[in-house]
Amino acid sequence: MGLSGATGMPLPCPCPGCQHPAGWQRRKRFPNRYQDPPRSQPPGRPDGPQGAPPDGWEGGSGSARTAPADAVLCPQRGTAAAPARILLLALALLPPGPAAPCSPQPNATRFVCTEPALRSFPAGLPRTTLAISVEFTALAALPPAALLPVPRLQELHLSSNRLGSLPAALLRPVPALRLLDLTNNLLRDLPAGTFSSSRRLQHLVLRGNRLRALRPAWFQHLPRLLWLDLGSNALPELPPGAFRPLRSLRSLDLSRNLLAALPPGALAGLGALERLDLEGNRLLTLPPAAFEPAPALRLLFLQENELRELPPRIFLPLRQLRVLDLARNRLRELELPPPGPGPALELDLAGNPWHCGCALRELLLSAAPLLSAAADTRCASPAHRRGQEVAALSGAGGCEHSGAGQQPPGP
C-alpha cells in the first residue's frame, strides 16, 4: 500500500519507471528503538542483537530487512531511490519528536525537573509559576536574572545539585518567596545581601553544604522566618546576636557542624523559638544563661557532643520543655528544669558515664521524667552500681553522696 504525506494525499513513487505509488515499501519507524538497550523483551519474540532491525516492517522481506533505516525500496530492482528525495520524504513522514526534557508548560503554576544531565537553569518559565523544583541535576551555576520571568514565585527547591555559589541579586525579582531549599549543594559562602529582598521568607534550608562562616547580614531582613536549617555544614562558631532579627523563628537546626562553644547571646532575640538542634557538634559546656533568651523551647537536642558538665540551673528558664536529649555525651551529673504543667519530660540520658548517687536518684524521683533508651542508660560509678540501669535508681534503697553532687531544683 502506498504512503501518504501530511495532507493525506499519496506521495509520488521515487523509483525509476514506477507508474504509481502502490507496491513500494518503507520501514515502520520505531521511535527511540536504537537509542537505548531495551529494558525488557516482548514475550514470545526476543529481539535480535543490538542494532538489528525489528520485526514489523511493511511488505516484503529479504533485501528489505537489510536496507538502511527509513530507506525507500523499489520492488522492481530492490535498490534505494535518490538520497535527496529519500531524505525529503523521510522528513515529511517523521512523527513529531518528543519534547525536550524539563520543558516548561504554558500557564503552569508548578515546574518540576529532576533530569540528571541538566546543566543550565530552564528558560521560558511562564509568569504564572508559583513553585519551582530543580533537584538532583548537574546544575552548577545560576544566572543573576534566572528568576526575572517568575515574579510571583513562592517556592524554590534547588536541593541536590552542584551549586557552588549564588548571585547576589538572584532573589530580588521574587519578593513573594516563602520557601528556599538549597540542601546538599556545594555552597561555601553566600553574598551578604542574598536575602535583602526576601522579607516574606518563612523556610530557609541550607543543610548539607560547605558553609564555614555565618554572616549576620543574611538574617537582617527576615522578620517572618519560621524555619532555619544550617545543619551538616562546617560552621566552627556562631557570632553573638547573629539571629537577633529572627523574632518569628520557631525552629533552628545547627546539628552536625564544628561548634565547640555556644557564645553568650547566641540565642538572643529568639523568644519564639520552640525547637533547637545542636546534635553532633563538639560542645564541651554551655554558658550559664544560654537558654534565657528562648523560654518557649519545647524540644532541645544536645546529643553526641562532648559535654562533661552543665552549669547549675541552666534549664530553669525552660518551663515548657517536653523533650531533652543528652545522649552520648560525657555527663556524670545533671540538673533538670522543674516539672511543668504539661506532660512529663521525655529524657534521653543514654551513653553517659553517670554517677548514680543521691543527687541523681532524688532528681529522677522529683522530676519523674520519661526515660528513653533506658537499656543504654547505665551507671558508671560508684563501683557497686556500675552497669546498673539509671531508671532503676528511682526504686533503689540507699544512695551515695558525691562530694560535687547537684541538688534537684526547687519549684
Side-chain angles (χ1 to χ4, degrees), residues 6 26-32 70 89-99:
R26 184 180 183 275
R27 281 189 183 182
K28 286 183 179 178
R29 291 193 54 80
F30 290 80
N32 303 322
D70 294 324
L89 288 169
L91 291 176
L93 295 170
L94 282 176

Side-chain angles (χ1 to χ4, degrees), residues 76 94 96 114 186 295 375:
Q76 290 84 357
L94 282 176
T114 55
L186 306 175

